[in-house]
């Protein structure tokens, strides 16, 4: 079927309220007024929910009467209903599942038609993180003749990689099917029929190191005329796994992974292809080769980006099953919808070579009982029946299973806690679902990694864990060395780990063949779970922080896309950087004790630009794959230290200038060096778009910084800036400040450690002009050609 953009010319408003023009994708929640009394609390970032209505009026030509017409919604949060000219046509409870609505017989052919979509996100809490609201992912019109190739009706399977052999299966209504395999513009194989097998000579295989893509063009003909055509991109890639490891096309592969939530920072949950591609690109540049979509199906745009850049993806269905973690979450819909929602994810993902794992859940407590094990097995069996080429996993928290089996359920749904069958159900105080887990983690710290080590917990978890093809352990690194003897056939990976544990975890990944990777929480910061991982200079417990806390603060890459020092530490451990990394903990809080978080081992950033901080205590972390490192300030040595776990700590007094690190091997030979410099000269506003040109209607990211005359960003001179745009729309402007009352949709925001970010949508051909003003700084403008 033909797919056409259907994102323009919508009207949007609260139910019963006035409507304004919007273009999809659109997140309604990010434009709400945050409220400390919001029932979603810190989990939702103190944003309220609501009932939102979207309408679009369009002309349906007469020829559509002889065709089949549908709408594809890639994601509507949540409890959506769709009407066509006032007649109910479809909808979807789960906010992350793509779904189609058939318009046949409901349209006024030759006349005007109105589509109305209602998204009900009024009942909070229904998520443990910021969800967004409304039609936050794109919408497309699907059209085809009575004879047509069904939507997602082309399946491409790699049968072998040496020699390379693929199978193409097509599900079509009527017509004659012809299949062509293309390498760029060249047709390298062709055939006819609903099921075709092709040998691909001299095939270029797909992997994280070489993400080679081919195209499969399927044509449907009737009476010699083309009536439909579909092109799918794919990669030639085979996944194999055993206790000997994970192999992609026969090569052992270790997953350098990071967990990622679905929001796009200052844009809220709105899903733009450019945003998803940018995130994947930045993660790849910083050493990651795998993403865990936490804890819901990823966007189609993220799948495409992972295919393009060579990023392995673990796509996940649910954060909960039939036991709720929040009062109004998906647990209410699980029984009726899990099968169709799982099917939708697998069928959408099938042709994407980047998807190498399907996950059926995250930290679910149900498998502590037989009913839960059966629920898990049903999901596994369904996925295997739909796709036998990929392994099935789950993010298993062994400590949660052990506690649940004892009647101490960590997650509470506001009504009943998890208890043994022989126990009487206990009423519990309604609270955010993750609160108890975060409390335990905050007080026990990384020792919770040993929560699944006991034989009793192992016995409780094993029936479920052994049903998985590959088992994911959340905060269960204590189990890694035990599996070799206790479960020699088990294949495992760290599905959720602390970033500061990357060194010891990665050493085990390299040591034990059955341990195939590590996914830190998190690779990219996100909205909601306010303050979970942030280091704070204002005190308070490092979880469920009060308003106006907004961001989780757990990401080693912040919401602007800026990696911190701990991100570079992981790259050092992985061996993907060859120079020492210098991380500096903020020096602009002299004498203030920082409140730390279990989810972060440091708050250091790569900056030696701290104006007005001369003489302040500076804690400096240096990372390198070396024997020792020397630190120099303005040419004077500050000492030389042995590296332990690729890390050394120095404490000095801050002085502006040049901070340099030199790495040495065991013989004292210099291996490499790097430096940080202070901002010098007059501070000015620096505006540097990430692209030299942009297409009309597309978005462009515009980083903004306060920098010295030498171009170095100043970290201790934050100011409120205002952005205006000509021939474009300012979609969002903000910084990575995790605790603020400022909004991303006003055009004014205060920088954080000297940085901010604007996202602009270009309008017409010509030039889009972005102007940034500050109270005490001269305005700066940049012009971006619009093609």
């Amino acid at each position: 079927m033909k797919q056409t953009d259907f994102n323009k010319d919508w009207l949007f408003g609260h139910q019963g309220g006035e409507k304004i023009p919007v273009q999809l994708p659109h997140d309604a929640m990010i434009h709400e007024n945050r409220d400390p009394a919001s029932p979603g609390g810190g989990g939702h970032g103190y944003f309220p929910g609501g009932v939102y209505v979207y309408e679009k009026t369009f002309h349906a030509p007469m020829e559509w009467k002889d065709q089949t017409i549908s709408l594809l919604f890639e994601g509507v949060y949540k409890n959506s209903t769709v009407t066509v000219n006032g007649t109910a046509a479809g909808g979807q409870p789960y906010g992350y599942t793509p779904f189609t609505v058939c318009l046949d017989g409901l349209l006024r052919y030759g006349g005007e038609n109105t589509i109305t979509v209602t998204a009900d996100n009024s009942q909070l809490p229904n998520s443990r993180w910021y969800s967004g609201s409304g039609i936050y992912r794109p919408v497309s019109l699907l059209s085809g003749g009575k004879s047509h190739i069904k939507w997602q009706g082309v399946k491409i399977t790699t049968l072998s990689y040496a020699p390379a052999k693929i199978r193409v299966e097509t599900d079509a209504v009527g017509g004659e099917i012809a299949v062509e395999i293309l390498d760029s513009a060249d047709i390298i194989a062709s055939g006819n029929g609903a099921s075709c097998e092709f040998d691909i000579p001299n095939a270029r295989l797909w992997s994280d190191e070489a993400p080679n893509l081919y195209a499969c063009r399927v044509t449907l003909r009737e009476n010699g005329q083309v009536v439909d055509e579909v092109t799918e991109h794919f990669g030639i890639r085979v996944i194999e796994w055993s206790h000997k490891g994970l192999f992609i096309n026969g090569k052992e592969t270790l997953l350098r992974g990071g967990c990622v939530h679905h929001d796009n920072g200052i844009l809220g949950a709105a899903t733009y292809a450019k945003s998803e591609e940018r995130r994947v690109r930045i993660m790849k540049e910083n050493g990651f080769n795998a993403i865990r979509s936490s804890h819901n199906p990823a966007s189609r745009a993220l799948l495409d980006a992972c295919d393009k850049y060579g990023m392995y993806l673990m796509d996940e269905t649910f954060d909960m099953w039939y036991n709720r973690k929040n009062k109004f979450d998906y647990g209410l819909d699980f029984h009726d919808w899990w099968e169709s929602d799982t099917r939708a994810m697998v069928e959408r993902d099938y042709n994407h070579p980047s998807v190498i794992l399907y996950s059926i859940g995250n930290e679910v407590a149900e498998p502590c009982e037989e009913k839960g094990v059966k629920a898990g097995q049903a999901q596994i069996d369904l996925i295997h029946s739909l796709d036998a080429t990929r392994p099935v996993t789950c993010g298993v928290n062994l400590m949660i299973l052990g506690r649940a089996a004892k009647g101490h359920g960590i997650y509470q749904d506001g009504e009943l806690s998890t208890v043994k069958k022989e126990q009487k159900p206990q009423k519990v105080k309604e609270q955010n679902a993750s609160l108890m887990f975060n409390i335990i983690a905050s007080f026990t710290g990384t020792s919770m990694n040993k929560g699944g080590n006991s034989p009793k917990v192992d016995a409780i978890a094993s029936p479920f864990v052994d049903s998985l093809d590959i088992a994911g352990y959340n905060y269960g690194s204590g189990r890694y060395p035990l599996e070799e003897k206790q479960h020699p056939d088990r294949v495992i990976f760290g599905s959720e780990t602390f970033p500061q544990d990357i060194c010891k975890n990665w050493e085990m990944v390299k040591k034990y063949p059955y341990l195939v990777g590590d996914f830190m929480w998190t690779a990219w910061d996100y909205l909601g779970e306010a303050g979970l991982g942030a280091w704070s200079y204002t005190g308070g417990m490092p979880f469920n922080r009060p308003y106006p806390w907004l961001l989780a603060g757990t990401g080693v890459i912040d919401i602007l896309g800026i990696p911190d020092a701990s991100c570079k530490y992981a790259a050092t451990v992985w061996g993907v950087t060859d120079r020492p990394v210098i991380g500096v903990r903020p020096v602009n809080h002299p004498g203030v004790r920082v409140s730390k978080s279990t989810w972060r081992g440091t708050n250091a950033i790569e900056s030696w630009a701290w104006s007005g901080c001369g003489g302040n205590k500076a804690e400096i972390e240096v990372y390198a794959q070396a024997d020792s490192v020397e630190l120099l300030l303005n040419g004077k040595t500050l000492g030389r230290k042995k590296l332990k776990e690729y890390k050394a700590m120095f404490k000095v007094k801050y002085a502006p200038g040049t901070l340099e690190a030199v790495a040495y091997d065991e013989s004292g030979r210099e291996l490499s060096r790097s430096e940080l410099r202070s901002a010098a000269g007059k501070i000015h506003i620096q505006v540097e778009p990430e692209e030299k040109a942009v297409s009309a209607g597309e978005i462009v990211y515009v980083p903004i910084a306060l920098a010295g005359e030498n171009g170095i960003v100043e970290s201790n001179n934050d100011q409120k800036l205002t952005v205006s745009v000509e021939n474009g729309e300012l979609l969002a402007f903000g910084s990575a400040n995790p605790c603020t009352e400022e909004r991303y949709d006003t055009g004014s925001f205060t920088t954080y450690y000297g940085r901010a970010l604007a996202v602009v949508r270009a309008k017409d051909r010509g030039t889009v002009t972005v102007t940034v003003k500050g109270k005490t700084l001269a305005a700066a403008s940049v012009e971006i050609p619009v093609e």
Side-chain angles (χ1 to χ4, degrees):
M1 299 181 75
K2 181 180 179 181
Q3 183 175 352
T4 306
D5 185 291
F6 205 68
N7 293 311
K8 296 180 180 179
D9 303 322
W10 286 81
L11 294 175
F12 159 80
H14 289 76
Q15 189 176 54
E18 295 184 2
K19 293 183 175 60
I20 60 172
V22 296
Q23 182 172 330
L24 306 180
H26 175 262
D27 178 11
M29 181 176 275
I30 202 68
H31 301 291
E32 295 279 17
N33 294 318
R34 295 173 67 215
D35 184 349
S38 170
H44 289 265
Y46 299 101
F47 282 93
V51 180
Y52 308 98
V53 180
Y54 296 79
E55 286 185 356
K56 177 168 179 167
T57 299
F58 64 100
H59 180 77
M62 283 299 299
E63 53 263 33
W64 281 8
K65 191 172 185 179
D66 297 321
Q67 297 182 15
T68 181
I69 308 294
S70 295
L71 287 179
L72 166 64
F73 294 89
E74 294 190 26
V76 183
Y77 202 92
K78 63 188 282 285
N79 294 321
S80 62
T81 56
V82 181
T83 65
V84 182
N85 298 321
T87 300
Q92 173 70 40
Y94 195 30
Y96 301 104
T97 298
F99 64 99
T100 60
V101 175
C102 183
L103 308 185
D104 296 350
L106 300 176
L107 296 173
R108 301 184 184 117
Y109 302 105
E112 297 299 298
N113 296 265
T114 299
I115 301 290
T116 303
V117 180
T118 302
D120 187 348
N121 193 24
S122 60
Q123 293 184 308
L124 305 182
N126 56 49
S127 172
R128 297 190 298 115
W129 54 86
Y130 176 88
S131 63
S133 297
I135 310 179
Y136 71 100
R137 286 179 179 171
V139 178
S140 301
L141 183 78
L142 305 178
S143 58
K146 294 304 180 184
S147 294
H148 63 274
I149 300 169
K150 291 183 180 180
W151 171 245
Q152 297 181 159
V154 177
K155 292 175 57 179
I156 305 152
T157 307
T158 301
L159 302 176
S160 64
Y161 60 88
K165 189 180 186 69
I166 65 169
R167 180 173 61 237
V168 179
E169 298 169 282
T170 303
D171 190 359
V173 178
E176 297 177 348
I177 298 168
V179 181
E180 296 170 315
I181 307 301
L182 294 87
D183 185 356
S184 297
D186 299 326
I187 299 173
I188 59 173
S190 61
N192 298 293
S195 182
C196 302
E197 292 189 3
F198 301 103
D199 294 316
I200 309 298
N202 303 313
R204 296 178 297 110
L205 306 180
W206 188 97
S207 70
D208 63 322
E209 297 176 346
N212 300 302
L213 292 172
Y214 291 86
C216 174
R217 184 166 62 204
V218 180
T219 304
L220 191 69
R221 287 183 171 85
E222 278 193 340
N223 302 319
Q225 300 295 315
V226 175
V227 295
D228 202 359
E229 183 178 288
V230 170
T231 298
E232 290 280 340
H233 292 90
F234 70 98
I236 298 174
R237 189 268 297 124
V238 172
I239 311 165
E240 298 169 291
W241 62 95
S242 71
H243 66 280
K244 295 181 180 180
L246 174 69
F247 298 86
I248 304 297
N249 294 327
K251 181 179 179 180
E252 184 178 16
T253 300
L254 305 180
L255 302 177
R256 306 187 302 271
C259 300
V260 170
H261 269 316
H262 75 293
D263 74 77
N264 278 304
I266 63 175
L267 289 165
T271 302
Y272 295 89
K274 185 75 66 70
S275 304
E276 301 289 61
E277 182 170 320
R278 178 179 184 264
R279 173 156 49 193
V280 173
R281 172 178 54 80
I282 290 173
M283 287 182 62
K284 196 70 186 291
E285 290 171 351
N286 283 279
F288 291 91
N289 74 347
I291 287 175
R292 178 189 182 197
S293 180
S294 316
H295 304 289
N296 45 261
S299 68
R300 183 179 297 272
L302 184 66
L303 301 179
D304 291 339
C306 289
D307 291 345
K308 176 180 177 179
Y309 285 99
M311 183 72 78
Y312 297 121
L313 180 67
M314 174 171 65
D315 212 358
E316 195 156 75
T317 51
F318 316 118
D319 185 43
M320 70 293 295
W321 293 352
Y322 52 80
N323 283 341
R324 285 171 286 163
K325 296 180 180 179
N326 282 292
K327 188 173 183 179
F328 301 108
D329 67 23
Y330 184 75
L332 296 169
D333 302 304
F334 178 83
H335 280 297
D336 295 329
W337 286 89
W338 73 263
E339 185 171 350
S340 62
D341 288 334
T342 301
R343 184 183 298 273
M345 184 188 78
V346 174
E347 290 179 347
R348 183 202 57 183
D349 291 5
Y350 193 91
N351 292 338
H352 290 273
S354 57
V355 180
I356 63 166
L357 284 161
Y358 294 122
S359 171
I360 60 174
N362 172 66
E363 294 186 343
V364 289
E366 288 89 338
C368 74
E369 58 184 4
E370 184 179 358
K371 176 184 175 183
V373 175
K374 290 181 178 179
Q377 189 64 59
Q379 295 173 72
I380 295 167
D381 291 344
L382 173 64
I383 293 175
H384 283 165
S385 72
L386 298 171
D387 184 354
T389 70
R390 293 174 171 96
V392 178
T393 187
C394 183
V396 179
N397 190 311
L398 299 167
M399 186 178 76
I400 285 177
L401 288 179
R403 287 179 57 83
K406 294 179 181 179
H408 302 297
I410 290 178
Y411 293 121
Q412 300 174 349
D413 65 13
E415 295 179 359
L416 298 177
S417 62
T418 303
V419 294
K420 289 183 177 180
K421 290 183 178 180
E422 63 269 19
Q423 290 179 304
K424 183 179 180 180
Q426 303 170 2
K427 289 286 182 179
V428 298
K429 183 179 179 181
E430 187 173 316
Q431 61 185 31
N432 183 289
S434 61
L435 180 59
M436 184 59 68
F437 178 76
N438 291 342
I439 290 173
I440 293 173
S442 296
F443 283 106
T444 63
T446 57
S447 64
M448 63 186 283
N449 286 319
K450 300 179 181 179
N453 287 13
S454 75
K456 288 185 178 179
V457 172
D458 184 37
I460 292 166
S462 285
F464 176 60
V465 170
D466 287 337
S467 70
L468 300 167
D469 298 311
I470 301 179
Y473 288 162
N474 283 17
Y475 311 107
S477 59
R479 287 282 329 163
Y480 299 169
L482 307 179
E483 300 298 73
E484 186 171 23
K485 291 185 178 180
Q486 296 184 11
H487 303 283
D489 294 327
R490 198 173 277 181
V491 189
I492 63 173
F493 65 97
S495 44
E496 201 165 307
T497 64
F498 298 111
Q500 63 267 31
D501 289 346
I502 186 61
C503 182
K504 63 181 181 181
N505 286 345
W506 199 248
E507 289 301 313
M508 287 190 284
V509 169
K510 291 188 294 184
K511 179 178 180 181
Y512 303 117
Y514 54 84
L515 178 61
V516 300
D518 176 274
F519 288 78
M520 68 177 64
W521 189 267
T522 58
W524 199 282
D525 204 15
Y526 57 95
L527 301 168
E529 286 200 300
L532 175 70
W535 284 27
S536 172
Y537 293 95
T538 59
M541 295 299 294
F543 60 87
N544 201 37
R545 293 191 189 271
Y547 180 89
W549 279 87
L550 170 60
L551 306 180
T554 64
V556 299
I557 301 173
D558 71 20
I559 63 166
L560 306 190
I562 307 298
D564 69 3
S566 61
C567 183
K568 299 299 181 67
Y569 178 51
T572 301
V573 171
W574 292 329
V576 296
T577 183
D578 58 0
R579 293 182 179 275
V581 176
I582 308 172
V584 180
R585 297 184 182 181
V587 302
N588 55 349
H589 302 278
V592 178
R593 183 177 179 180
V594 64
S595 172
K596 300 180 180 180
S597 165
T598 299
W599 275 268
R600 296 302 301 277
T602 183
N603 64 343
I605 63 175
E606 292 183 285
S607 174
W608 193 244
W610 303 90
S611 64
C613 294
N616 287 2
K617 175 184 174 182
E619 295 180 285
I620 302 164
E621 304 173 22
V622 183
Y623 318 132
Q625 283 215 1
D627 178 71
S628 62
V629 66
E630 182 182 16
L631 195 64
L632 301 96
L633 178 57
N634 296 325
K636 182 180 179 180
T637 185
L638 300 175
R640 183 165 161 179
K641 293 189 176 184
K642 285 275 190 179
L643 289 155
K644 183 179 181 181
E645 296 185 340
Y646 309 109
K647 182 189 304 183
M649 176 74 76
F650 295 82
K651 294 183 179 181
V652 302
K653 289 185 177 181
Y654 176 78
T658 301
L659 187 67
E660 190 172 23
V662 184
Y664 300 95
D665 65 13
E666 293 180 354
S667 66
R669 180 177 62 90
E670 180 179 327
L671 297 173
S672 60
R673 62 175 61 205
S674 60
E675 67 178 28
L676 297 176
R677 291 184 293 149
S678 301
K682 189 176 180 179
I683 299 299
H684 68 284
I685 300 172
Q686 182 174 280
V687 186
E688 296 183 344
E690 292 184 348
E691 297 174 84
K692 294 181 179 179
V694 62
S695 300
E698 289 295 318
I699 69 171
V700 59
Y701 277 78
V702 185
I704 297 165
L706 304 180
E709 294 173 7
N710 58 353
I712 302 297
V713 176
E714 171 57 54
S715 298
N716 193 42
N717 191 17
D718 288 315
Q719 298 188 29
K720 191 169 187 176
L721 303 178
T722 300
V723 176
S724 59
V725 177
E726 296 178 18
N727 190 35
E729 177 187 1
L730 180 64
L731 295 176
F733 173 57
S735 75
N737 189 347
C739 182
T740 178
E741 290 190 283
E742 294 180 304
R743 299 171 60 106
Y744 301 131
D745 60 359
T746 64
S748 294
F749 215 96
T750 303
T751 59
Y752 188 65
Y753 293 137
R755 300 182 185 274
L757 178 69
V759 183
V760 175
R761 178 160 49 207
K763 287 187 178 179
D764 305 319
R765 289 187 176 183
T767 301
V768 58
T769 302
V770 180
T771 301
V772 186
K773 297 180 180 179
K775 287 185 178 181
T776 62
L777 300 175
S781 294
V782 65
E783 293 184 346
I784 309 167
V786 181
E787 300 170 344

